[in-house]
Amino acid sequence: MNHPISILGIAGSLRQGSYNRLALKAARQLTPQDARLEPFELDGIPGFNQDEEQNPPAKIVELKARVRAADAILFVTPEYNYSVPGVLKNAIDWASRPYGDSAWSGKPVAVMGASIGMTGTARAQYHLRQCFVFLNMYPLNQPEVMIANAAERFTEHGELTDENTRDHIRRLLEALVAWTRRLGSGKA
Ligand SMILES: Cc1cc2nc3c(=O)[nH]c(=O)nc-3n(C[C@H](O)[C@H](O)[C@H](O)COP(=O)(O)O)c2cc1C
């Protein structure tokens, strides 16, 4: 695999000033030169209905195509009630269906997340990692990027200025690119 690694970044928040969407934006600036990180926004995705899985909404058709075209996935998850926000889990569920046609299978994947609390989405990240088992994704174990006290790390203009956090994200992306090259492309 000599081509630039394409990473699809998905932040699990719809909020305008979302720290997780801002962290994904920062990650794009910190991506190694031999990789590209493109975001996919989750707005407009209806709640999963298995009656619709054979004929999913256009946004899900697009999501599955974008996942399949990517070499690797980066999830940037908030933590809601000690777990993964429904908006992210919902998108994961849609793109995993119908059975036998999951877009996620075989993809290298990394996780990071930002919360206003002190544990920096640790509990949500471990719940998300449990899903990777059945999704047959290949998670990068380390570094773990858990951005605690997020409100203190971004400026009022939404820039991630905390150098320690920027360094963690930079190292996560470097490790994801190396992991993806080691595994081979996750493209179907
Ligand atoms: C429904 C809900 C549940 C939350 N639960 C947690 C939680 O379990 N742990 C935590 O650290 N923060 C929790 N928070 C606070 C989030 O960390 C905070 O709202 C954060 O800004 C969400 O991410 P975002 O900025 O990307 O939207 C919760 C917020 C909401 C709205």
Side-chain angles (χ1 to χ4, degrees), residues 3-7 28 31-37 173 177 181:
H3 65 270
I5 296 295
S6 61
I7 304 168
R28 294 185 72 188
T31 304
Q33 285 206 329
D34 60 342
R36 294 187 312 269
L37 172 56
L173 290 163
V177 169
R181 292 200 185 282

Side-chain angles (χ1 to χ4, degrees), residues 13 15 18-21 78-82 114-117 123:
S13 176
R15 198 169 71 83
S18 160
Y19 296 119
N20 287 278
R21 291 174 64 224
E79 181 171 283
Y80 279 7
N81 299 312
Y82 284 16
S115 92
I116 58 172
R123 295 160 293 216

Side-chain angles (χ1 to χ4, degrees), residues 10-14 40 42 45 63 73-78 80 83-95 104 111-112 124 128 132:
I10 302 174
S13 176
L14 305 179
F40 185 90
L42 297 182
I45 297 179
L63 172 59
I73 307 297
L74 172 66
F75 287 120
V76 188
T77 186
Y80 279 7
S83 190
V84 181
V87 69
L88 178 56
K89 182 63 163 53
N90 183 57
I92 290 171
D93 291 342
W94 268 117
W104 306 110
V111 186
M112 60 186 237
L128 184 56
F132 299 156

